[in-house]
Amino acid sequence: ACWYGGPKTEGQACDAGNAEQSCEPGLFCSALDARCYVLCDPDAADTCPAAERCVRQEAAPGVPWFGACLGR
């Protein structure tokens, strides 16, 4: 999937459907809380900050999509 690359940084409020309010590359805008989160690879070594872990996100039940760094 492709997302707009915008100016919003990790933790900032965002709108994925608006390029001016979207997250910068390497982040994604959550539809659940409209905040920017760091993307990660759930099949690779954990590259998230110490207080977070890479959590697999699914496009549908059982269909892996990408990973996001979330609090432990």
Side-chain angles (χ1 to χ4, degrees):
C2 296
W3 294 300
Y4 289 114
K8 300 296 183 167
T9 60
E10 181 181 2
Q12 286 190 309
C14 58
D15 177 356
N18 179 336
E20 294 177 6
Q21 295 298 315
S22 192
C23 304
E24 63 186 21
L27 305 176
F28 86 104
C29 184
S30 171
L32 297 177
D33 65 0
R35 297 271 173 208
C36 295
Y37 290 92
V38 175
L39 291 168
C40 58
D41 182 350
D43 296 322
D46 199 347
T47 58
C48 295
E52 299 178 339
R53 64 186 174 91
C54 189
V55 177
R56 184 181 307 276
Q57 306 298 301
E58 296 182 339
V63 181
W65 194 18
F66 62 91
C69 293
L70 303 174
R72 293 192 183 271

